[in-house]
Amino acid sequence: MVHFAWLDYFWTIAYLILMIGCGAIFYKLGKRSGSDFFLAGRGLPWWLPATSNFATHTATDTPMWFSGLVYQKGLYGMWYSLFAGWCAISAWVSTRIFRRSLAGTQAEWQTLRFSGLGSEMLRGWIAGWQVAMTMFIAGWVGIAMGNVCNYVFHWPLWYGLVIFSTLCCLYVIASGYWGVIIADVQQGITMLIVIVLVSIWAAIAAGGPAEIVASLKQMGQEEMLNPFRSSGFISGDYPLLWMITMIAVPFLGGFGMATHFDWFVEAQRIQSARNVRDASYSIWWGTAVVLVRNSIWALAVLALFVISKGNFTAEESQLAWFIIGFKYFPVGMVGFFFAAILAIHISTVAGVLNLGSMYATRDLYHHYLKPKATEKEVVWFGRLMTVVVLLGSFFFGLMIGKNVIDWLFFALWLMVAGTWLPNILQVIWWRFNAWGYLSAWIANLGICWLVVWILPAFGIIPELPDYQQFWLLIILVAVIYVPVTLLTKPDDMDRLVKLYVQTRPIGFWGPVKREAERRGLLKALHEFDRKAAEQDQ
Amino acid sequence: MPLIKRNWTSDEADEWTKEDWYAIIISPFSYVLITLGLAMSLFLLPLGFILLGIGIVLTFIMFYIIDPKLKSVSEGYEKKQREYLKNLEKIQRWEE
């Protein structure tokens, strides 16, 4: 159990008051309209959603899996953290296209990109899926906090899960996305300061950077500092194909939408930015800070590796970052460290609660159940759904328990592996239609369970490493959706032309572009731009 | 034709051009070099400083190339956004 002095309690309580205060301060802005409750009125400068991106993607579980990987594999483990790299290309491609579509959610995008019954089925499917996934994420992050509180105070797991997520829910209910984004800024700054401080403390405790390098050499672990190590193409602990997968999947995924769970979170930030340029910048810079954060973390983790002589178990290594803070920070700073952990936890839970509520409200309630709902009704339903997502997160959190990392790879990677390519095709290929996309989602859901759990359990296929499962799922699911796409009709040309003119997607859109030109739409837009430019002068 | 175009009209900027592809190609390198370069620099490894330096320079070049185009895309698009939002609301309420 970690000892808390009065100054430690002061930091913790002061932080909680500050955070809930955000809800009260922005209550009036949040209740103005559905657009304010979920998108802060679509008027934010780029640095606000960028900070929110960083804060939301720094969750309680993040230092756990990152510490585990770097402690076990050294800097080579950092390639895993490059999954955030999808923003490198997305910032200049899919972010630009999505921002121009103005779709509030990825589900809403479906009714703009596709047409007819298929598009509506996709919207309902993705909305329902996202409500469930946000419950899962909030539960998973929540139970990670339960594990931290179990380590610090010896509380039962559910205390940490329920107490802090509920406090967080209060300000999300009050002020919606306005509260989320403003709280994210102070949370983002707090956590970045503490991440830097922990690494400095850890490096000092280990004798400084040069001493860490010397110790690793003495221990025969010099390779821990080599991110490019390899043990063969698919053999050994450091296969080249794993590294190629870690680079290709996120970066190429940036051409598409929804290629990673984080896309759904970013979609909300993209639409809350005040214009296309700010949306792109928010995505690029938010992720750049995430990657810088990982580099700073690596110093702390390898410092602890040296201090502990590399003797931690896999479970202990996941708590490496927390151990440094609680063990090496002086009295008074421990509370500040715990406040930063709260910031890390709450920023993610807040963002996810608001996001899940947005899908339930905008895509299910407003679009299907009550299309004529007033703005007031939309906001109140959003608040109700925030509570529903919170309650769902308790269920998932208790189900996950201590197996935080085991669930990460399956739920967030393999369960969407087969849709990775379709998520790109929906952006770059006009002929990819609603039925192809829907069949990919459904096929992947079934096949991923077969490949990961069922077939290996019966000895029909061997238990494959996760990156090999990924490529296998891509191939198997393609066998379903490619014929489905080609054997069904293309989407309605009117819908495609409208989308093309508004969003200007990249890739293979030749027939749609020619149709837009034939109808004189592009010429009319050029004329509009010319007149607007003349008026500006 | 200049290697890098820096003056754009809105309709020119709407098209995908080589400037977009420069940014698309440079951007992943920036991320990888900054991430690994900074991590290795914190251990005072010389290779780390070199990678980090290249990453920072590439980032500056990327923004130098893409920023004028993005500005132009933004300005042109925001003038039409009001009409697009009206259309979106119609789809939301099943009026279209």
Side-chain angles (χ1 to χ4, degrees):
Chain A
M1 188 161 163
V2 176
H3 174 70
F4 263 48
W6 70 266
L7 190 57
D8 297 317
Y9 284 111
F10 166 79
W11 284 120
T12 306
I13 293 165
Y15 174 73
L16 286 171
I17 292 170
L18 180 67
M19 177 199 70
I20 296 169
C22 280
I25 293 166
F26 290 95
Y27 171 72
K28 280 190 177 172
L29 283 179
K31 72 172 186 175
R32 284 192 308 197
S33 67
S35 172
D36 277 286
F37 194 77
F38 293 120
L39 295 172
R42 296 182 190 264
L44 300 177
W46 68 268
W47 55 272
L48 274 172
T51 317
S52 179
N53 279 346
F54 163 67
T56 305
H57 297 318
T58 308
T60 332
D61 69 291
T62 321
M64 287 186 176
W65 63 257
F66 185 81
S67 298
L69 280 167
V70 173
Y71 193 94
Q72 305 289 333
K73 294 176 182 288
L75 296 186
Y76 177 87
M78 290 187 71
W79 290 106
Y80 225 129
S81 68
L82 269 173
F83 68 77
W86 63 268
C87 295
I89 291 177
S90 173
W92 315 128
V93 181
S94 54
T95 292
R96 190 158 127 192
I97 296 164
F98 186 72
R99 176 59 179 76
R100 291 177 65 135
S101 80
L102 298 172
T105 65
Q106 192 59 36
E108 192 170 356
W109 158 265
Q110 305 307 316
T111 46
L112 302 172
R113 166 63 181 84
F114 303 111
S115 58
L117 178 64
S119 74
E120 294 299 340
M121 286 174 73
L122 270 169
R123 185 170 185 172
W125 167 271
I126 289 180
W129 173 257
Q130 277 309 300
V131 173
M133 280 304 285
T134 49
M135 286 177 181
F136 175 79
I137 302 287
W140 165 34
V141 171
I143 203 65
M145 190 65 197
N147 279 292
V148 172
C149 290
N150 176 261
Y151 169 76
V152 178
F153 305 117
H154 291 183
W155 286 353
L157 285 184
W158 70 270
Y159 277 28
L161 166 72
V162 171
I163 294 172
F164 298 111
S165 293
T166 305
L167 286 172
C168 166
C169 185
L170 291 177
Y171 78 79
V172 181
I173 289 174
S175 54
Y177 187 68
W178 274 110
V180 171
I181 204 105
I182 300 302
D184 273 356
V185 171
Q186 52 102 343
Q187 287 158 353
I189 293 167
T190 308
M191 65 177 79
L192 194 58
I193 290 171
V194 168
I195 286 167
V196 171
L197 286 177
V198 169
S199 288
I200 292 172
W201 247 265
I204 292 170
E211 187 58 33
I212 295 171
V213 175
S215 299
L216 286 171
K217 280 181 186 168
Q218 264 183 357
M219 292 162 71
Q221 298 282 0
E222 198 180 351
E223 280 293 287
M224 295 284 275
L225 294 168
N226 179 10
F228 306 104
R229 68 206 290 193
S230 172
S231 56
F233 189 65
I234 55 168
S235 57
D237 290 336
Y238 306 97
L240 191 60
L241 184 59
W242 182 85
M243 194 197 283
I244 292 170
T245 307
M246 290 304 119
I247 295 169
V249 171
F251 287 132
L252 294 177
F255 282 101
M257 295 177 186
T259 45
H260 189 277
F261 175 78
D262 288 350
W263 167 267
F264 297 92
V265 182
E266 310 298 24
Q268 192 181 16
R269 272 93 195 133
I270 290 167
Q271 292 301 358
S272 68
R274 64 186 167 192
N275 58 39
V276 177
R277 178 174 174 263
D278 282 50
S280 292
Y281 279 18
S282 74
I283 293 300
W284 202 92
W285 284 108
T287 303
V289 181
V290 166
L291 296 174
V292 164
R293 172 208 71 190
N294 292 345
S295 303
I296 298 170
W297 261 341
L299 175 64
V301 177
L302 288 185
L304 191 68
F305 181 88
V306 166
I307 293 167
S308 64
K309 310 280 184 209
N311 286 330
F312 276 2
T313 62
E315 201 171 299
E316 284 171 332
S317 69
Q318 288 174 18
L319 286 172
W321 187 72
F322 297 99
I323 291 171
I324 298 162
F326 286 122
K327 209 167 175 179
Y328 294 101
F329 267 7
V331 174
M333 282 293 284
V334 171
F336 190 63
F337 180 61
F338 188 70
I341 294 172
L342 285 178
I344 285 171
H345 171 64
I346 285 168
S347 61
T348 304
V349 173
V352 170
L353 290 180
N354 187 252
L355 183 70
S357 164
M358 186 181 186
Y359 277 92
T361 306
R362 181 144 181 98
D363 294 303
L364 298 177
Y365 169 74
H366 196 192
H367 187 59
Y368 292 116
L369 299 177
K370 200 167 183 186
K372 305 291 177 194
T374 63
E375 292 294 337
K376 196 176 175 185
E377 286 171 327
V378 168
V379 171
W380 272 104
F381 195 82
R383 287 178 171 146
L384 177 67
M385 284 300 107
T386 307
V387 177
V388 171
V389 175
L390 175 77
L391 295 175
S393 77
F394 294 160
F395 167 77
F396 280 112
L398 293 172
M399 187 179 81
I400 293 166
K402 279 193 174 276
N403 302 321
V404 176
I405 306 301
D406 293 349
W407 284 87
L408 171 79
F409 300 127
F410 180 69
L412 292 193
W413 191 12
L414 297 175
M415 275 182 85
V416 292
T419 58
W420 180 77
L421 192 54
N423 285 330
I424 297 171
L425 291 176
Q426 64 163 328
V427 175
I428 66 167
W429 188 30
W430 75 278
R431 181 62 181 80
F432 189 61
N433 65 13
W435 300 114
Y437 195 39
L438 192 60
S439 65
W441 272 96
I442 295 167
N444 182 68
L445 203 58
I447 294 173
C448 75
W449 285 91
L450 280 174
V451 168
V452 178
W453 306 111
I454 300 171
L455 296 181
F458 286 100
I460 298 169
I461 61 168
E463 207 168 297
L464 299 167
D466 50 15
Y467 67 97
Q468 290 180 22
Q469 288 172 338
F470 182 87
W471 292 114
L472 183 61
L473 282 167
I474 283 183
I475 294 165
L476 292 177
V477 176
V479 171
I480 309 273
Y481 70 77
V482 171
V484 170
T485 302
L486 297 175
L487 292 172
T488 48
K489 284 183 182 173
D491 280 294
D492 176 41
M493 189 51 89
D494 286 345
R495 176 60 52 90
L496 292 171
V497 165
K498 198 176 269 185
L499 179 90
Y500 180 83
V501 170
Q502 185 177 341
T503 68
R504 298 304 172 92
I506 197 168
F508 309 99
W509 287 80
V512 182
K513 184 181 181 184
R514 285 191 289 278
E515 180 62 20
E517 281 169 345
R518 193 187 65 78
R519 295 181 187 190
L521 293 172
L522 297 182
K523 202 175 169 187
L525 276 182
H526 293 170
E527 193 59 25
F528 178 90
D529 286 336
R530 195 184 57 77
K531 281 183 184 167
E534 279 174 8
Q535 277 175 358
D536 287 346
Q537 284 168 0
Chain B
M1 199 173 169
L3 184 65
I4 298 166
K5 183 175 164 69
R6 297 206 14 106
N7 293 310
W8 299 89
T9 61
S10 295
D11 50 319
E12 282 172 344
D14 273 345
E15 300 294 329
W16 293 94
T17 62
K18 63 179 188 307
E19 284 74 11
D20 295 301
W21 286 101
Y22 292 153
I24 288 166
I25 292 163
I26 294 172
S27 189
F29 283 102
S30 291
Y31 272 1
V32 171
L33 291 170
I34 288 173
T35 305
L36 298 180
L38 178 60
M40 294 171 83
S41 297
L42 291 174
F43 293 97
L44 308 179
L45 301 173
L47 178 63
F49 292 107
I50 295 167
L51 296 180
L52 182 62
I54 297 170
I56 291 169
V57 170
L58 282 180
T59 303
F60 272 110
I61 293 171
M62 179 181 71
F63 279 95
Y64 175 81
I65 294 169
I66 201 68
D67 189 59
K69 190 170 186 197
L70 268 183
K71 263 186 193 161
S72 189
V73 169
S74 275
E75 283 166 13
Y77 180 78
E78 301 317 315
K79 285 169 187 153
K80 302 163 200 138
Q81 182 167 303
R82 190 183 294 270
E83 284 307 308
Y84 289 139
L85 273 172
K86 275 185 200 165
N87 184 49
L88 194 73
E89 207 51 30
K90 280 183 188 168
I91 293 174
Q92 176 74 4
R93 295 174 185 275
W94 296 86
E95 289 165 2
E96 188 192 273

